[in-house]
Amino acid sequence: MPVDLNNERPLAWDSATLDADTKAMLDNLQPNILRAHVREHLSVLFVRFNNVAEGKAFLRRIATTKMKSARKHLEEVRDFAAGRRRGTPYVGIGISKAGYRDLGHTVEDVRKFGDPVFRDGMKRRIGLVEDPPVEQWERTYQREIHAVILIGDAEPGPVAALREEILADLPESARLLGEESGRGMRNPAGEGIEHFGYVDGRSQPLFLKDEVDKEPKKHWDPAFPLGNVLVPDPFAPNPARHHGSYLVFRKLEQNVRAFKEIERDLADGLGLSGTDRDRAGAMLVGRFKDGTPLTLKPRATGGPVDNDFTFEADDGSKCPFSGHVRKTNPRSFGREVLMARRGQTYGERTDDPWDDSAPEDRPSGEVGLLFMAFNGSLLAQFEFTQQSWADNPDFEVPATGHDPVIGQGDRDIKVSFPKVWGKPEMSVPQAQVAQTVTMKGGEYFFAPSLAYLRNL
């Protein structure tokens, strides 16, 4: 019988009672979808095909010689945790709407994808999510991208070697349109951070029982059904057993200098002093730099960060309704919207992102996030989150403002911030903070099943 994508129970992937259809799904699913793969070093290649037979053969060779299954990845994670061998590098493939057409699929074929956002492509959706005009995107993304190839590992050597092998195999009829390099950043505690200096990657939807079992669940249940991230692969030999996921890729440049100036000016305007000044940036992000949610008081140095919380008891006097993590994950509703985020930071820096250097010492560009997220529906997840939540100044409460981090569009209303944590006293209405994250281009892809790729 088909895999139940709506089952609320997390998947016990290595259970002895696992049914044949679910085993087949795991054996034909790309890694990094159900569970994040280590990608401290990441190479992203954007390819255009111009010959059906050669494009198919190229992807088939990668899939049969370079790619592992989701099940193989999970087995490697289990073995590494048990003190055995380290895992192998990750190679993933996404194909755009234009890519499927160039591989020989007809317009009618592409309509088998149920998501209208994927069928449109990112360039046709810019007005709905307030993206910049296409002519302002970087050149790579202005062009028609057919496929993205992701190569990741904990060490740079395997990534570089695989990149060279794959590019050497690229047929003469194809073109490498551009590439991105990502590299993980960590604070002194070893936690992954983004360029503004905040711990990143918290509150991911979890699909596997072994991951869910490790999380406290008194207030917030991180378990999500497979349907949040998987859909049947319409072109696979057996869509009931062979699944894929819609992948959104966006290059987001961060103006760190401007963001740090905003933090400083907000703290000054609210009269914050001492360690309480950290609350200015936390009100924009929704968490303190170490990941502690703003609904809780800052923790003492060291110890685990509590991620088992909701916003239900907070009227906005602790975490503003516009705080990034509150905008994009209200926690009390909208669970079906959450995406499996798999992004990576890019860009070189000479400063330490987590220290207290002056804003003037921070980069104003050329650094940011390669945003990647897997979706069961681009329409109901990524675009809904961006349009109806992040870009909407009236979500979740009227006139509380855009998401200060990823919100786009005219910020023409004034907002207030709590002057004292947990107290009703608010600042006088003031202009919303300026946008410091700029979308530089991207595309929507489908990460097909290995069964599809190996049968091209």
Side-chain angles (χ1 to χ4, degrees):
M1 61 183 296
V3 176
D4 184 3
L5 299 180
N6 296 314
N7 192 336
E8 295 287 340
R9 291 178 297 176
L11 178 62
W13 66 271
D14 57 352
S15 169
T17 61
L18 203 64
D19 64 89
D21 288 297
T22 305
K23 289 179 181 178
M25 179 271 288
L26 291 170
D27 285 334
N28 289 279
L29 184 69
Q30 294 191 42
N32 198 40
I33 298 176
L34 291 183
R35 182 175 191 151
H37 195 286
V38 174
R39 307 169 318 286
E40 291 295 295
H41 298 267
L42 179 71
S43 180
V44 185
L45 309 177
F46 298 101
V47 175
R48 177 188 176 95
F49 303 116
N50 298 292
N51 181 286
V52 173
E54 292 183 352
K56 286 183 174 181
F58 173 69
L59 292 179
R60 184 174 63 247
R61 287 192 297 270
I62 294 177
T64 54
T65 65
K66 311 293 186 189
M67 297 178 71
K68 60 187 172 185
S69 69
R71 190 214 284 263
K72 176 64 175 176
H73 171 224
L74 296 175
E75 290 172 347
E76 289 181 350
V77 171
R78 181 184 60 194
D79 290 346
F80 182 77
R84 295 190 283 270
R85 56 189 178 277
R86 69 182 297 272
T88 55
Y90 157 65
V91 176
I93 288 176
I95 304 174
S96 71
K97 171 202 68 174
Y100 277 104
R101 290 294 310 281
D102 202 70
L103 291 172
H105 293 281
T106 66
V107 173
E108 290 299 318
D109 286 340
V110 175
R111 289 199 179 106
K112 293 179 181 179
F113 287 103
D115 197 317
V117 174
F118 176 75
R119 298 197 305 265
D120 282 347
M122 191 172 288
K123 295 180 181 67
R124 294 180 62 183
R125 310 289 297 187
I126 57 175
L128 297 172
V129 293
E130 302 285 353
D131 280 341
V134 174
E135 56 267 25
Q136 294 180 15
W137 295 9
E138 292 183 355
R139 175 61 178 161
T140 294
Y141 306 105
Q142 292 184 29
R143 305 169 77 179
E144 186 179 83
I145 299 169
H146 290 164
V148 60
I149 303 169
L150 307 170
I151 309 166
D153 193 58
E155 302 296 332
V159 174
L162 274 170
R163 174 188 175 278
E164 291 302 315
E165 292 173 14
I166 289 173
L167 289 180
D169 193 38
L170 189 69
E172 290 187 6
S173 60
R175 293 290 180 269
L176 177 66
L177 301 180
E179 60 183 302
E180 301 286 358
S181 296
R183 184 172 181 179
M185 299 193 307
R186 296 187 177 273
N187 62 20
E191 299 162 314
I193 60 173
E194 49 72 55
H195 279 286
F196 291 151
Y198 290 77
V199 167
D200 196 20
R202 303 282 181 180
S203 300
Q204 294 276 22
L206 303 181
F207 309 101
L208 306 174
K209 186 176 184 299
D210 54 351
E211 286 193 291
V212 172
D213 287 348
K214 298 175 183 177
E215 296 290 323
K217 295 175 281 293
K218 183 178 180 182
H219 304 289
W220 165 251
D221 186 354
F224 284 75
L226 297 176
N228 264 62
V229 73
L230 297 184
V231 295
D233 184 344
F235 301 144
N238 185 351
R241 287 186 165 197
H242 304 149
H243 293 71
S245 184
Y246 294 107
L247 169 64
V248 53
F249 180 95
R250 292 162 69 81
K251 184 175 183 180
L252 304 177
E253 184 181 60
Q254 294 176 251
N255 187 336
V256 183
R257 181 179 305 168
F259 188 84
K260 293 301 175 182
E261 289 173 346
I262 289 169
E263 285 184 330
R264 178 193 62 197
D265 294 346
L266 181 58
D268 290 345
L270 294 175
L272 306 183
S273 60
T275 58
D276 195 35
R277 290 182 64 84
D278 293 340
R279 193 163 54 85
M283 285 190 288
L284 305 178
V285 176
R287 294 180 185 269
F288 291 94
K289 284 185 178 179
D290 66 359
T292 300
L294 192 51
T295 54
L296 307 175
K297 291 184 177 181
R299 63 178 180 141
T301 302
V305 171
D306 188 353
N307 198 49
D308 183 23
F309 71 97
T310 69
F311 297 106
E312 291 184 353
D314 179 18
D315 60 0
S317 61
K318 295 178 181 177
C319 179
F321 287 98
S322 62
H324 170 61
V325 302
R326 189 167 192 171
K327 274 279 193 183
T328 55
N329 183 5
R331 288 182 175 244
S332 57
F333 61 92
R335 286 173 52 84
E336 69 280 358
V337 178
L338 293 193
M339 304 163 277
R341 292 170 287 118
R342 302 290 186 255
Q344 184 58 285
T345 49
Y346 74 88
E348 299 294 331
R349 295 181 64 165
T350 57
D351 62 320
D352 291 329
W354 56 82
D355 68 16
D356 295 323
S357 296
E360 294 75 19
D361 298 329
R362 306 298 192 181
S364 58
E366 305 299 325
V367 300
L369 178 69
L370 304 177
F371 177 86
M372 290 172 278
F374 289 104
N375 302 248
S377 168
L378 292 165
L379 179 66
Q381 292 175 275
F382 169 71
E383 285 209 353
F384 179 87
T385 299
Q386 188 70 46
Q387 179 185 29
S388 300
W389 289 357
D391 296 346
N392 182 1
D394 295 321
F395 175 78
E396 167 182 3
V397 170
T400 51
H402 290 69
D403 181 326
V405 180
I406 66 167
Q408 300 184 135
D410 295 334
R411 305 188 181 197
D412 51 6
I413 66 168
K414 293 187 175 182
V415 298
S416 298
F417 293 94
K419 299 181 70 173
V420 180
W421 184 85
K423 302 293 184 182
E425 183 181 2
M426 304 294 287
S427 68
V428 297
Q430 57 190 280
Q432 294 186 68
V433 302
Q435 185 175 325
T436 56
V437 175
T438 303
M439 188 270 200
K440 307 296 286 186
E443 187 54 279
Y444 294 128
F445 301 95
F446 186 75
S449 65
L450 296 176
Y452 168 79
L453 293 169
R454 291 170 179 171
N455 280 276
L456 282 170

